[in-house]
């Protein structure tokens, strides 16, 4: 799809606009993720969305399902949150594991090529 849009729309600003507008439009109509709501402690909103989804799918929601979901989703996330806050990242983390070093070098090389391409384009 992106190649087709790029072929039909020549200016890069309009390509960005064409790609971004549907995402922005859908964000007003789609509900939030139930898992995300639960991880943020917004249980009432998550329950409302679950009930709406169940009625749309012609299913019945029970208290057991709701309680299990509420109890399972919050606790593991809180533990993970505490662990990630303890870790301090440095620039060395970009090259420390071999896979991360390869990925970082790939990104840096792509930025370099993009920069030289844009410089050549401006000179012409």
């Amino acid at each position: 799809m992106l190649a087709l849009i790029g072929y039909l729309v020549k200016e890069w600003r309009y390509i960005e606009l064409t790609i971004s507008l549907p995402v922005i439009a859908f964000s007003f109509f789609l509900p939030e993720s139930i898992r995300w709501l639960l991880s943020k402690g917004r249980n009432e909103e998550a329950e409302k969305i679950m009930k709406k989804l169940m009625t749309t799918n012609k299913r019945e929601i029970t208290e057991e399902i709701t309680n299990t979901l509420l109890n399972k989703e919050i606790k593991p996330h809180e533990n993970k949150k505490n662990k990630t806050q303890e870790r301090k990242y440095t620039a060395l983390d970009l090259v420390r594991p071999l896979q991360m070093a390869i990925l970082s070098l790939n990104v840096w090389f792509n930025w370099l090529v993009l920069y030289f391409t844009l410089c050549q384009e401006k000179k012409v």
Side-chain angles (χ1 to χ4, degrees):
M1 274 313 273
L2 185 60
L4 178 65
I5 291 171
Y7 180 75
L8 295 174
V9 182
K10 301 296 181 192
E11 181 67 32
W12 70 268
R13 289 178 183 94
Y14 297 125
I15 292 173
E16 286 292 325
L17 193 63
T18 308
I19 294 168
S20 302
L21 280 179
V23 173
I24 293 169
F26 281 125
S27 67
F28 290 109
F29 299 111
L30 294 176
E32 291 285 347
S33 166
I34 294 173
R35 285 187 176 190
W36 183 83
L37 288 171
L38 291 174
S39 70
K40 298 298 179 186
R42 295 163 58 181
N43 299 341
E44 294 82 24
E45 291 177 59
E47 259 187 272
K48 286 179 188 175
I49 292 174
M50 266 196 314
K51 288 178 182 177
K52 184 178 178 183
L53 289 173
M54 292 299 227
T55 53
T56 303
N57 292 329
K58 298 177 184 163
R59 300 278 188 235
E60 205 172 296
I61 188 166
T62 61
E63 289 295 320
E64 183 182 330
I65 293 172
T66 318
N67 291 337
T68 327
L69 229 161
L70 290 174
N71 291 333
K72 280 187 180 177
E73 290 295 328
I74 295 170
K75 291 177 184 172
H77 182 72
E78 287 175 354
N79 293 338
K80 186 188 285 186
K81 192 177 189 180
N82 293 336
K83 288 179 185 176
T84 56
Q85 287 177 348
E86 293 172 7
R87 174 91 162 101
K88 299 289 183 191
Y89 294 100
T90 65
L92 287 176
D93 290 322
L94 293 173
V95 293
R96 205 166 272 157
L98 181 62
Q99 274 187 308
M100 193 64 187
I102 292 169
L103 183 67
S104 297
L105 289 172
N106 187 3
V107 170
W108 295 332
F109 178 74
N110 285 329
W111 273 103
L112 184 71
V113 169
L114 178 67
Y115 173 75
F116 284 129
T117 305
L118 290 175
C119 287
Q120 290 297 323
E121 191 176 286
K122 289 180 181 178
K123 288 180 183 177
V124 174

